[in-house]
Amino acid sequence: NKRTQAAMETAEEAPLNDFHLTTAQERFVCFENGQCRVNAVAGSGKTSSVALRTLRLLADDCPPEDILMVTFTEKGATEMRTRLRRYATGDVYKDLGLDTDKVLVTTFNGFGQSLLEEHFAKLGFAKAPELVNEIVKKDILIDILGSHQNLPLDYKNPFLSLPNARGAVIQIGEIVDAFKASYVETVADAEALLGGDLKPCAAELLDIYQEYNRRLVAANMIDFEDQLRLLLQLKVHGVFDSFGFQHIVIDEFQDSN
């Protein structure tokens, strides 16, 4: 018999009509100027406090477009949107007509990707970039390695991936990722990151890294390590100077790097 998956019922978003804040929670919800970091254990009401802080800003006539809420996971973002709506339709706030749907609630990666899709031309892309998959990534590296055959790598077993042994393609992929994570731009940067018999090859490995990046741009692709690196490049173009966000509220900040 053909298997089917039953549709999940949408969880009821019942209004939250009543809430009680501790003194510490109230201090956070009513915090006014500057930067505020809250340290709290699991189950202590972080999500509720964050949602109520945003509603308090809206109630104080802050335009919803001026608020950016960032979570670490899409599940967290969905929960935050739901919580905002439930409080906004509850007894405390329902008469104010707060429009929580206009508040931008997103994830770190989702927000970063939206910026790349909006400003891709400034980074040399012909259209909005897509995430490269591992197969395409390896194909690009294999082609580039065809012109770099004298590095101290295992060319005979290019895809070997063991705890203490790496093939040429696997090792080059790890080096490329490490270069991106450390924002390597010069030979000196590469030398500082490399060790052993690879350190004298810093200039050649930097060439491979730069060629890999050029090919990704030509193919309108990025990889996981690219997003933050490219976002930092957008800073040079003044993209962040025109943001209209007056309040940035971050949930689960401890999970960010």
Side-chain angles (χ1 to χ4, degrees):
N1 294 328
K2 187 176 180 179
R3 293 186 296 173
T4 59
Q5 182 175 0
M8 297 290 290
E9 293 184 7
T10 303
E12 182 182 1
E13 294 186 9
L16 293 175
N17 297 317
D18 191 25
F19 54 85
H20 301 278
L21 298 177
T22 66
T23 301
Q25 290 170 339
E26 187 171 0
R27 283 176 57 202
F28 168 67
V29 169
C30 297
F31 180 81
E32 285 291 339
N33 299 311
Q35 298 179 4
C36 176
R37 183 181 70 182
V38 175
N39 296 323
V41 298
S44 57
K46 295 192 299 293
T47 302
S48 297
S49 298
V50 168
L52 287 170
R53 169 168 175 74
T54 297
L55 288 168
R56 197 273 300 174
L57 293 171
L58 294 173
D60 287 350
D61 296 325
C62 175
E65 297 86 355
D66 287 1
I67 303 173
L68 169 64
M69 301 189 74
V70 184
T71 68
F72 194 67
T73 65
E74 186 56 47
K75 180 182 178 182
T78 300
E79 181 182 357
M80 187 62 68
R81 295 187 196 102
T82 300
R83 193 71 64 98
L84 286 173
R85 285 193 293 265
R86 294 181 68 190
Y87 278 128
T89 55
D91 291 341
V92 177
Y93 288 111
K94 66 181 181 180
D95 294 334
L96 298 181
L98 303 180
D99 191 352
T100 62
D101 289 338
K102 288 185 178 179
V103 176
L104 180 55
V105 184
T106 183
T107 64
F108 285 104
N109 291 92
F111 183 60
Q113 187 62 23
S114 68
L115 290 178
L116 294 182
E117 291 174 356
E118 182 179 355
H119 301 285
F120 61 85
K122 294 182 176 67
L123 299 168
F125 293 96
K127 58 182 181 180
E130 298 178 356
L131 192 65
V132 66
N133 62 51
E134 283 300 310
I135 295 175
V136 174
K137 181 175 182 176
K138 287 183 173 64
D139 284 343
I140 294 173
L141 293 174
I142 290 169
D143 194 46
I144 294 174
L145 281 174
S147 302
H148 299 271
Q149 292 289 312
N150 297 315
L151 291 166
L153 303 173
D154 183 357
Y155 291 93
K156 293 182 179 179
N157 306 287
F159 301 107
L160 183 66
S161 181
L162 297 174
N164 297 314
R166 292 286 192 272
V169 174
I170 301 299
Q171 193 168 359
I172 283 292
E174 293 174 347
I175 291 171
V176 164
D177 290 344
F179 278 12
K180 291 192 177 188
S182 300
Y183 313 117
V184 168
E185 295 183 356
T186 66
V187 174
D189 292 338
E191 287 177 340
L193 200 65
L194 296 167
D197 54 0
L198 287 175
K199 192 164 187 174
C201 308
E204 187 174 359
L205 290 171
L206 182 62
D207 287 341
I208 292 174
Y209 169 67
Q210 292 171 339
E211 175 62 19
Y212 172 74
N213 288 334
R214 283 192 290 268
R215 296 199 186 194
L216 281 186
V217 171
N220 281 293
M221 291 182 174
I222 61 173
D223 58 27
F224 285 111
E225 291 291 350
D226 268 322
Q227 192 180 69
L228 185 55
R229 182 179 67 90
L230 293 174
L231 287 173
L232 290 174
Q233 289 183 18
L234 284 178
K235 187 175 182 180
V236 179
H237 298 281
V239 168
F240 304 113
D241 298 336
S242 60
F243 275 180
F245 299 116
Q246 299 302 311
H247 301 277
I248 300 177
V249 185
I250 301 176
D251 193 28
E252 305 287 3
F253 183 78
Q254 77 278 2
D255 289 331
S256 61
N257 60 24

